[in-house]
């Protein structure tokens, strides 16, 4: 994985296993990982031996909490396929990790869908910095850094949607008090573009209706002027409309999302959310997965 300005560490892979002793420390909490507990290792360069690699160990819950903080480009786990040793775990622990990864992907996907609507503020200090926030239901994503960079992120799940809204309003007020100025929101720009598109769609039929009237006027002028024989303009050939991105991908409406397949199973936990109702799917209930491109890791897919 490529390194970045804010997170220079290169991660070569991930591994999962049961802690072989109680002496390893979680890199996030700095607490000892009990012997026999599930731990996840991040493979990185060994700073003590050139050309060698080593694993930094984490308690699995602490690791996933850490994914919601730090660089926007921070390496993260998006699938159990990335975890070396996953097949050797007990089925119960496999289910726990699968559910945790699914829940995290759904959490981030929900924010990714509304990322264009983020409220962005900027300040001239330090050669220009930005701060932005976006809300999706009860979750929020704050992003900050130097203008032109992706910056750091802090993602949070609040008690409910009202609490998330209160958090957003409070943070914006704090930033504006500190001298930050709100820019034109991306959501407003997109709405303006959508409005223009709607206007164009309304204009097109009006022009089409004017065409027959124009032809009739031409015919009348030609007849009045020279009493010549009637001029009949040939009807213009209609051109087939160009296919939209949605039609090309097989989607409907304005959704250009490509669906690679479908899967059905019983929910492994009660932590995954229905993408339509945004309600939790009860453990053991039948759920259907739509396989799409993973917006967080190029070249991979997610459900």
């Amino acid at each position: 994985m490529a390194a970045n300005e804010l997170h220079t560490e290169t991660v070569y892979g991930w591994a999962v296993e049961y802690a072989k002793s109680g002496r390893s420390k979680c890199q996030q909490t700095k607490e000892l990982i009990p012997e026999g507990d599930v731990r996840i290792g991040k493979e990185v360069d060994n700073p003590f031996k050139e050309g060698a690699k080593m694993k930094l160990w984490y308690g699995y819950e602490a690791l996933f909490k850490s994914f919601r903080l730090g660089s926007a480009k921070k390496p993260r786990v998006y699938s159990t396929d990335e975890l070396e040793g996953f097949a050797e775990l007990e089925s119960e622990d496999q289910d726990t990790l699968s559910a945790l990864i699914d829940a995290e992907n759904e959490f981030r996907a929900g924010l990714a869908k509304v990322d264009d609507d983020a409220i962005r503020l900027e300040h001239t200090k330090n050669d220009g910095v930005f701060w932005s926030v976006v809300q999706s239901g009860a979750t929020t994503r704050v992003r900050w850094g130097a203008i032109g960079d992706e910056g750091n992120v802090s993602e949070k799940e609040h008690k409910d949607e009202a609490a998330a809204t209160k958090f957003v309003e409070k943070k914006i007020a704090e930033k504006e008090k500190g001298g930050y100025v709100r820019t034109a929101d991306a959501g407003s720009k997109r709405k303006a573009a959508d409005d223009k598109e709607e206007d164009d769609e309304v204009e097109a039929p009006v022009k089409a209706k004017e065409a027959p009237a124009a032809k009739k006027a031409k015919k009348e002028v030609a007849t009045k002027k020279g009493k010549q024989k009637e001029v009949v303009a040939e009807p213009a050939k209609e051109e087939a409309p160009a296919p939209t991105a949605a039609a090309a991908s097989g989607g409907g409406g304005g959704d250009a999302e490509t669906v690679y397949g479908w899967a059905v199973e019983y929910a492994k936990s009660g932590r995954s959310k229905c993408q339509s109702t945004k309600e939790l799917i009860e453990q053991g209930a039948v759920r259907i997965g739509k396989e799409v491109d993973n917006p967080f890791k190029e070249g991979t897919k997610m459900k």
Side-chain angles (χ1 to χ4, degrees):
M1 295 182 190
N4 62 82
E5 302 81 14
L6 297 171
H7 192 85
T8 56
E9 181 180 59
T10 300
V11 176
Y12 297 99
W14 302 89
V16 62
E17 65 176 26
Y18 296 109
K20 295 166 184 173
S21 73
R23 292 176 295 177
S24 62
K25 276 188 178 180
C26 171
Q27 295 296 304
Q28 184 65 21
T29 65
K30 306 304 178 187
E31 296 175 356
L32 292 171
I33 301 172
E35 182 178 357
D37 275 16
V38 174
R39 65 178 183 177
I40 294 178
K42 180 170 67 174
E43 190 176 16
V44 298
D45 289 312
N46 188 335
F48 310 111
K49 190 175 180 183
E50 190 175 353
K53 297 180 178 63
M54 63 183 282
K55 289 187 178 73
L56 300 176
W57 295 103
Y58 294 80
Y60 67 91
E61 290 181 320
L63 175 65
F64 279 87
K65 283 181 181 177
S66 76
F67 287 158
R68 299 190 181 185
L69 300 169
S71 169
K73 294 181 180 178
K74 177 196 286 187
R76 294 171 168 86
V77 178
Y78 299 105
S79 167
T80 57
D81 294 338
E82 297 177 63
L83 297 173
E84 180 186 346
F86 180 78
E88 280 72 59
L89 296 179
E90 297 289 335
S91 59
E92 184 180 349
D93 293 321
Q94 288 184 352
D95 290 346
T96 298
L97 282 180
S98 294
L100 187 60
I101 290 171
D102 286 348
E104 187 64 18
N105 284 341
E106 287 174 11
F107 173 86
R108 296 178 63 78
L111 287 171
K113 284 181 181 178
V114 297
D115 216 18
D116 285 346
D117 296 322
I119 297 170
R120 181 181 172 105
L121 296 91
E122 295 180 356
H123 200 293
T124 55
K125 66 180 181 181
N126 301 328
D127 295 325
V129 294
F130 76 92
W131 181 93
S132 71
V133 63
V134 66
Q135 177 184 351
S136 174
T139 59
T140 57
R141 172 185 287 160
V142 171
R143 195 188 294 267
W144 71 95
I147 292 175
D149 292 343
E150 284 199 36
N152 284 299
V153 295
S154 174
E155 297 164 336
K156 187 176 181 182
E157 193 155 5
H158 301 265
K159 180 183 176 182
D160 50 36
E161 188 169 349
T165 300
K166 187 176 180 181
F167 169 84
V168 169
E169 292 172 347
K170 179 184 175 184
K171 290 298 180 183
I172 290 173
E174 288 175 357
K175 289 298 172 184
E176 289 180 330
K177 188 176 180 181
Y180 279 76
V181 177
R182 192 183 298 212
T183 64
D185 299 340
S188 302
K189 291 178 182 176
R190 190 175 62 184
K191 184 178 185 304
D194 290 344
D195 290 345
K196 184 180 183 305
E197 223 173 270
E198 286 177 12
D199 291 343
D200 290 344
E201 286 174 4
V202 171
E203 246 178 69
V206 172
K207 287 179 181 176
K209 285 177 183 177
E210 286 175 356
K215 286 178 196 171
K216 185 179 177 185
K218 274 188 186 176
K219 187 170 98 172
E220 287 175 354
V221 169
T223 307
K224 282 179 184 175
K225 276 191 176 178
K227 299 273 183 185
Q228 299 163 0
K229 53 180 184 177
E230 191 176 15
V231 178
V232 180
E234 288 185 12
K237 292 181 181 176
E238 290 185 7
E239 293 183 7
T244 62
S249 66
D255 189 0
E257 181 181 59
T258 301
V259 178
Y260 298 97
W262 302 85
V264 63
E265 65 177 16
Y266 296 109
K268 295 167 184 170
S269 74
R271 291 183 287 185
S272 61
K273 280 186 181 179
C274 171
Q275 293 299 300
S276 182
T277 65
K278 305 304 178 188
E279 296 176 356
L280 291 172
I281 301 172
E282 293 182 8
Q283 182 176 6
V286 174
R287 66 178 181 180
I288 296 177
K290 179 171 67 173
E291 189 176 16
V292 297
D293 289 310
N294 186 337
F296 312 113
K297 190 174 181 185
E298 190 175 352
T300 63
K301 298 178 179 63
M302 63 181 280
K303 292 188 182 71

